[in-house]
Amino acid sequence: MYEIFLVVYLITALALIGMVLIQQGKGADMGSSFGAGASATVFGSSGAGNFMTKTTTVLAAVFFVLSIILGNLTANQIKKTDEWSDLSTVPAVETLAVPGTEDVPVSDNKGSDVPN
């Protein structure tokens, strides 16, 4: 079910991007640049809305509803836990011994810049 919503969500997003890009802007007609009277109206010279603006509105509504649904489905999923989520038990740490260093005392290392 989650995958179906995700595919529909992606298709809706691409369709919404396409519809927004192919629409003409409100001030794009020639009369509005020279101060025609129709450009000062509330909806511009094109009227209240055509097929493209209504389709964009529907696609935006579907996009937001699918966003909320996918967000709820994602938030309710069980998360996989790892070893760092429970720090109450300390894991065993392995130490590697370098051969030949057991017999060297610490005070004999006089050429080092690191203080003891």
Side-chain angles (χ1 to χ4, degrees), residues 12-91:
T12 304
L14 292 174
L16 184 61
I17 291 169
M19 288 300 291
V20 168
L21 287 177
I22 63 173
Q23 285 184 15
Q24 186 177 9
K26 286 195 183 256
D29 51 346
M30 195 64 172
S32 66
S33 63
F34 294 113
S39 64
T41 61
V42 175
F43 297 111
S45 61
S46 64
N50 56 11
F51 171 74
M52 293 178 72
T53 57
K54 290 178 184 178
T55 305
T56 305
T57 305
V58 170
L59 284 173
V62 170
F63 180 80
F64 286 127
V65 168
L66 283 174
S67 296
I68 292 171
I69 291 171
L70 286 173
N72 285 334
L73 288 176
T74 304
N76 295 332
Q77 287 182 351
I78 298 173
K79 295 182 175 107
K80 182 180 173 186
T81 59
D82 60 355
E83 61 207 28
W84 293 102
S85 63
D86 184 22
L87 296 177
S88 62
T89 60
V90 179

